[in-house]
Structures are given as C-alpha cells and as structure tokens.
C-alpha cells in the first residue's frame, strides 16, 4: 500500500513550453495537498504525470510502502491510486447503478467487503434515488457524486482529484469533505487541483502563474 509519494526535481513541458521545473514534493499517509495556480500552470498535468499518463521531461516520481520500500510504479498506478479527472468519464447510456458497478469492477473491487463498499458509496453520496436513471439524465452535481463513488466502491490509497468540488452545492461539498477526511484518517493520501479551498486541512503547493 502506498504510504509515501515522492517527487524530485520534476520538470513537465507541454509542447515547447515549460510548465514548471525542479518541483519537489513529499506526501505521506494522512496528508492532503491542494494544488493551486493559474489555469495552464500545470495542475492537471502534474496529476496526469503522477498517474502515469504524462511522461516527465526530467526528474522522478516514486511510491513507497510504510517501511520505505519502493513500490513498482506500474503496480502502484494500476492498483493503488485513483485519478478522478475534471471530466467525469461516465457513459451516458448506462444507468447510474450500471456505471457504479462497472467502474468499481474495472478498478478491481474484490474481497468480502466489496458489497459493503458499494452500499457505503451509495449511502454516503446519496445515490439511491439515482440508481435507475440513465447517466445522461443526471445533473452535473449528481454526475460528480456518481463519479466520486468509485473512490469508496473500490478503495485505493492515493486519490488524485481535479477540481473535485466544482459542480457540487454547499451540502455536498461538506459531505465530500467528510469523505476526504475519513480517507486521510484511514491512512490515505490526497492530491487535488483546486481553485476553491478544500473543506479539510491541506498542505499548499502553488504552481504559480502561466509561464
């Protein structure tokens, strides 16, 4: 299980433009990091690089267990992290129930607690009235809650979240804050790209202005 994420001397570029260079960051179990900065400063790109979708120009990203041993990056990314992008990546023709089950199965839910995890996701995010509706009929906030259900339905240590609260009203922002805090209390890690503050204590990493 991921206990520590390490980023050293990281440089990311997009086309001919350098987003940032020499970035250093260490995140440990129980910690959340809020990524801030202007649009185009590299917040989403950093999440994608940690997820393995974007290759760094320089520097490294490493994952470690509680004893400080290296975890193979491929295994860590495949089985121990969630990447919830700005777009919800939901299939509109499926019902909310079908989409929740597909996402959780795809992400490897297993074990005796898997059914309990699904029930917890439905209850915690208020999805029961939505389960038989097609995803395309859901509001933006309902879609975001459905997308976030995978975090509970298929538990993983590291959550990488891109503007997780943007379509949610105040009630659900508070509820998601409680979900995040419970994840941290259980030894999880969170890195979130944000414009508005998260409703939990965070470390701050400002990527600054567009270069």
């Amino acid at each position: 299980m991921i206990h520590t994420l390490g980023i050293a001397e990281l440089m990311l570029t997009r086309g001919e433009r350098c987003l940032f260079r020499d970035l250093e960051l260490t995140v440990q179990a129980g910690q959340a990091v809020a990524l801030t900065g202007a649009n185009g400063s590299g917040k989403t790109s950093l999440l994608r690089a940690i997820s393995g979708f974007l290759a760094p120009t320089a520097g490294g990203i490493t994952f470690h267990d509680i004893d400080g041993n290296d975890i193979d990056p491929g295994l860590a990314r495949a089985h121990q992290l969630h990447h919830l992008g700005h777009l919800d990546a939901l299939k509109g023709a499926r019902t909310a129930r079908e989409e929740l089950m597909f996402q959780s199965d795809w992400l490897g839910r297993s074990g005796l607690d898997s059914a309990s995890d699904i029930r917890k996701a439905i209850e915690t995010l208020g999805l029961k009235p939505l389960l038989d509706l097609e995803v395309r009929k859901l509001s933006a906030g309902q879609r975001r809650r459905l997308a976030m259900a995978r975090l509970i339905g298929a538990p993983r240590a590291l959550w990488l979240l891109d503007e997780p609260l943007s379509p949610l009203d105040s009630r659900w922002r508070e509820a998601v804050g409680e979900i995040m805090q419970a994840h941290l209390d259980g030894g999880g890690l969170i890195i979130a790209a944000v414009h508005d503050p998260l409703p939990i204590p965070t470390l701050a990493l400002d990527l600054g202005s567009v270069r």
Side-chain angles (χ1 to χ4, degrees):
M1 177 174 169
I2 297 172
H3 181 271
T4 305
L5 167 71
I7 296 175
E9 300 181 344
L10 191 69
M11 177 179 178
L12 293 182
T13 57
R14 185 164 59 195
E16 299 298 319
R17 183 167 67 88
C18 175
L19 298 173
F20 52 76
R21 68 175 72 244
D22 297 326
L23 182 70
E24 302 280 339
L25 178 66
T26 300
V27 188
Q28 296 184 330
Q31 293 183 327
V33 176
L35 302 178
T36 61
N39 289 336
S41 61
K43 300 186 298 295
T44 294
S45 294
L46 177 56
L47 296 180
R48 288 176 56 80
I50 297 170
S51 298
F53 300 136
L54 180 65
T57 307
I61 300 170
T62 55
F63 306 92
H64 309 277
D65 65 20
I66 194 170
D67 296 318
N69 300 311
D70 289 345
I71 301 174
D72 178 84
L75 293 177
R77 288 164 171 149
H79 302 292
Q80 299 188 37
L81 70 76
H82 279 297
H83 182 179
L84 183 61
H86 186 67
L87 298 178
D88 292 323
L90 303 173
K91 189 172 180 64
R94 292 192 183 111
T95 66
R97 177 184 284 104
E98 291 168 340
E99 186 63 20
L100 172 57
M101 298 304 294
F102 171 80
Q103 293 282 352
S104 298
D105 288 343
W106 178 261
L107 291 165
R109 72 181 182 102
S110 61
L112 297 176
D113 294 331
S114 61
S116 175
D117 291 334
I118 292 292
R119 288 194 298 270
K120 182 179 178 182
I122 292 170
E123 178 181 354
T124 304
L125 288 158
L127 298 178
K128 188 173 181 179
L130 310 177
L131 292 177
D132 294 325
L133 297 177
E134 293 179 342
V135 170
R136 60 173 165 244
K137 296 180 180 179
L138 303 181
S139 70
Q142 290 169 337
R143 289 171 60 93
R144 179 49 57 98
R145 283 155 48 203
L146 177 59
M148 295 193 79
R150 72 190 70 162
L151 304 176
I152 302 172
R156 294 182 170 193
L158 173 59
W159 293 0
L160 305 175
L161 311 176
D162 199 346
E163 293 294 342
L165 305 181
S166 58
L168 300 177
D169 61 25
S170 58
R171 171 198 172 191
W172 286 109
R173 287 185 176 214
E174 182 179 352
V176 168
E178 293 173 358
I179 293 169
M180 291 179 176
Q181 188 60 58
H183 180 61
L184 298 177
D185 291 344
L189 307 82
I190 298 173
I191 303 177
V194 298
H195 286 294
D196 301 322
L198 292 176
I200 56 172
T202 60
L203 307 172
L205 177 59
D206 185 3
L207 296 183
S209 302
V210 178
R211 293 168 177 78

